[in-house]
Amino acid sequence: MKASLALSSLFLCAQELVGVVGAARLSVHARPRSPRLGADVRLRSRATFEGNTSVGNVGDVEYTTDITLGGQKYAVQIDTGSSDLWVTGSVPNTKSTGKTAKVQYAVDSIQGSIYTAPLEFAGYSVSDQAFTSSTDAASQGLIGLGPNTGSQVKEALGASSTAGDPVLDRIFRQNTSTPNYITVLLGRIRDPTDPPTGEFTIGELVPGYEDITSQPKLAVSVLETSNDVNQHWQVLLDADGIVGPAGNNVIEELNVKTAVSSTSNSKQLTVVLDTGYSLPQVPPVAEAFYKDVPGASLVSRSDLNGEVWQLPCDKEVNVTFKFSGVSYPIHPLDTNLDLNMTDSSGNSICVGAFQPMSAQNSATYDIIFGMAFLRNAYTYINFGDFVDGSTSSTANPYVQMLPTTNDTAEAHQDFVKVRGNSPWTPEGATLGERLRARLPLIIGLCAAAAGVLLIAFGACCYYRRRDKRQRVAFFRPTYQQLHEPAPPEAHDLHLVNNNNNQGAYHPTYSNPWDARY
């Protein structure tokens, strides 16, 4: 999964770091990016490495590593978000498979013929590694280190051909004594206290970072077989795992919920760890990081493939993420990125590294953490160790991460030295924003309450009318209709003993209710 990022030229001088030859140490050098723009800019935005374990950094957006393919050296990007190897141009000592493949990324793709050639990578050798030869990409190539279920080359060559398996699968199967894991440590350019280079290892830990093995093991969320082509190194963020600049729980304040239907806790977001993204992609939480920054605005930029927050370069923004109870503070030089960009008026401007992203239909993830996050954690990805020595059966994969930006006071001083100091006061979400975030719930509750009240009112009216009819029927007297003849026993008492109106009966009434009458 890749983000589009066309940036102005930002180069480091070439450098060599020579160490122990093997899985952990190779020579390292940084290189400038090609100035070519266009569709392949999206591919060049991926993270790249220099060397085997040491990682060279170019403008915080490129890291490259060297491989030797067919006897020729290539500086290729390393991508934990895809599975295939491809290079640009003609490779010597190859064999054609007669097959082609198209490797699709989030915003772009490459395609070409599939060849095999001898490969040397990180001190390991593969005699016949399959790869795609591309003619229309700007970079020298890319090596995918994601789960093998996403391999388009493997699919094209079929299950019977082991040559189509991803590079790491080939290495692990050929070297069963090598633990099935990789680690990544990225450096930060212009960091006054830490070097801009980093480390990449296969089956080995970077010296000084051994504590990573004591960190919580984050289970990789495994997709259904029917959807495993979209499998990534994806783990669950804590339900309170996004802490904003004001120390506020952003997930709770903005009522953020996962778009992944299979997640049992709707407050836990699924995060893909992808070295191929320069700008981490996040749901509608970026506004909680940047909207209150003086001078910040949400703008649409074609060179960044969508909306992004622009803000003054001297505004420090501090955010933290949490996995399994462990906090990962983000260096302010990573939350507010200086990419040598200008606004519409030509003024220098920085961008918020965490870029808003809309949820996809049938989503399998909520967030993509690219380099701006990964520079703040030493990352260990276990592919699943072989079970009982079998190269076809492995244990469940998992991820461990060790926070590397623990000294927030030092990070603040780094930011001030590089960018200057223009203080601002972060605030949590306002009452209106909290209500807006819960508007669908509020509307639903109001509609439900109105429905209950209408039902109650209708029931009340119904029972009152029925009760009234019952009372009337119980107390209603029986009257003789006026038009019916009087019964034979009836007499006009006024005429009793009245002969010719003499001696007429004149009763004496004591009161209107005299019982005698």
Side-chain angles (χ1 to χ4, degrees):
M1 312 297 272
K2 303 293 162 274
S4 169
L5 189 58
L7 306 176
S8 301
S9 298
L10 182 61
F11 306 140
L12 286 180
C13 295
Q15 56 179 313
E16 293 285 337
L17 299 178
V18 182
V20 179
V21 175
R25 294 290 184 273
L26 284 179
S27 62
V28 180
H29 62 276
R31 67 173 178 80
R33 291 166 295 134
S34 167
R36 176 182 171 188
L37 300 179
D40 48 25
V41 167
R42 298 185 177 94
L43 298 178
R44 291 190 286 108
S45 71
R46 297 187 181 87
T48 55
F49 295 70
E50 281 293 352
N52 176 24
T53 57
S54 295
V55 178
N57 185 329
V58 183
D60 281 340
V61 294
E62 286 192 359
Y63 305 86
T64 62
T65 191
D66 292 332
I67 67 170
T68 300
L69 188 63
Q72 183 167 305
K73 189 175 179 180
Y74 295 86
V76 296
Q77 306 168 20
I78 288 184
D79 181 16
T80 59
S82 64
S83 308
D84 291 308
L85 170 66
W86 60 265
V87 296
T88 303
S90 177
V91 178
N93 303 313
T94 61
K95 293 181 181 179
S96 175
T97 65
K99 303 286 186 178
T100 61
K102 179 179 181 180
V103 182
Q104 183 67 52
Y105 300 109
V107 294
D108 215 329
S109 64
I110 67 97
Q111 58 184 343
S113 299
I114 301 175
Y115 297 89
T116 63
L119 170 70
E120 294 180 10
F121 172 56
Y124 297 95
S125 298
V126 178
S127 61
D128 59 344
Q129 179 62 49
F131 66 95
T132 302
S133 178
S134 174
T135 59
D136 59 355
S139 66
Q140 292 189 34
L142 179 146
I143 184 168
L145 303 177
N148 60 18
T149 55
S151 173
Q152 301 302 308
V153 171
K154 179 179 177 64
E155 181 179 350
L157 296 185
S160 61
S161 173
T162 59
D165 291 341
V167 171
L168 283 181
D169 280 29
R170 301 293 302 279
I171 290 175
F172 290 145
R173 288 193 175 99
Q174 290 179 185
N175 302 272
T176 55
S177 62
T178 299
N180 296 355
Y181 70 80
I182 62 174
T183 76
V184 179
L185 179 67
L186 299 183
R188 181 179 303 106
I189 196 171
R190 300 197 186 97
D191 190 323
T193 55
D194 295 309
T197 55
E199 306 280 349
F200 172 77
T201 72
I202 298 176
E204 182 174 330
L205 299 179
V206 174
Y209 292 85
E210 291 82 2
D211 285 348
I212 193 170
T213 58
S214 64
Q215 298 303 301
K217 292 183 178 180
L218 308 175
V220 173
S221 301
V222 179
L223 303 183
E224 296 290 339
T225 303
S226 59
N227 195 29
D228 61 6
V229 69
N230 292 314
Q231 182 69 59
H232 296 281
W233 302 124
Q234 51 202 66
V235 294
L236 289 177
L237 192 68
D238 288 356
D240 60 347
I242 302 180
V243 182
N248 48 318
N249 181 347
V250 174
I251 292 178
E252 178 62 28
E253 283 192 355
L254 299 184
N255 195 34
V256 181
K257 294 184 178 180
T258 180
V260 181
S261 60
S262 60
T263 304
S264 57
N265 185 346
S266 64
K267 293 294 186 180
Q268 284 195 275
L269 307 182
T270 296
V271 176
V272 169
L273 303 174
D274 188 347
T275 58
Y277 262 99
S278 300
L279 302 183
Q281 306 292 289
V282 296
V285 299
E287 64 175 287
F289 303 161
Y290 303 116
K291 68 176 179 59
D292 292 328
V293 176
S297 60
L298 182 64
V299 299
S300 179
R301 296 192 64 127
S302 59
D303 53 355
L304 296 179
N305 198 43
E307 289 187 327
V308 68
W309 284 89
Q310 285 186 173
L311 58 157
C313 294
D314 59 356
K315 297 298 182 181
E316 180 177 341
V317 180
N318 293 290
V319 300
T320 298
F321 297 94
K322 294 196 293 183
F323 291 89
S324 194
V326 178
S327 295
Y328 297 83
I330 306 302
H331 199 291
L333 290 173
D334 289 324
T335 56
N336 182 356
L337 288 179
D338 183 359
L339 302 177
N340 282 351
M341 303 179 72
T342 57
D343 60 18
S344 57
S345 301
N347 301 315
S348 295
I349 197 73
C350 286
V351 298
F354 293 88
Q355 186 174 27
M357 175 186 71
S358 299
Q360 306 296 314
N361 294 328
S362 303
T364 58
Y365 60 87
D366 301 291
I367 294 174
I368 303 173
F369 273 170
M371 289 176 280
F373 171 84
L374 293 173
R375 279 193 287 270
N376 297 275
Y378 177 43
T379 305
Y380 171 113
I381 300 176
N382 191 299
F383 284 57
D385 290 330
F386 295 131
V387 176
D388 298 328
S390 169
T391 57
S392 61
S393 178
T394 59
N396 292 330
Y398 62 89
V399 173
Q400 291 175 287
M401 294 189 294
L402 182 69
T404 57
T405 310
N406 297 309
D407 191 340
T408 54
E410 179 185 279
H412 167 71
Q413 292 302 321
D414 290 345
F415 186 87
V416 172
K417 288 179 183 178
V418 175
R419 304 280 188 83
N421 187 20
S422 178
W424 63 286
T425 303
E427 296 181 1
T430 65
L431 177 60
E433 289 167 339
R434 297 188 188 195
L435 292 176
R436 183 183 64 185
R438 291 166 172 78
L439 191 58
L441 176 62
I442 294 173
I443 293 175
L445 291 175
C446 290
V452 170
L453 289 175
L454 287 174
I455 293 173
F457 179 75
C460 181
C461 291
Y462 169 77
Y463 284 111
R464 288 190 62 183
R465 292 182 63 184
R466 190 181 72 169
D467 188 50
K468 182 177 180 180
R469 287 196 301 269
Q470 289 176 342
R471 290 199 306 270
V472 170
F474 181 79
F475 292 106
R476 181 184 295 138
T478 301
Y479 294 101
Q480 190 73 25
Q481 299 297 318
L482 295 178
H483 63 273
E484 295 181 5
E489 299 82 4
H491 301 282
D492 187 354
L493 297 181
H494 292 87
L495 301 179
V496 175
N497 297 324
N498 183 9
N499 296 320
N500 298 322
N501 293 329
Q502 295 180 1
Y505 177 60
H506 300 285
T508 302
Y509 296 95
S510 300
N511 58 63
W513 300 279
D514 196 313
R516 293 173 297 172
Y517 307 107

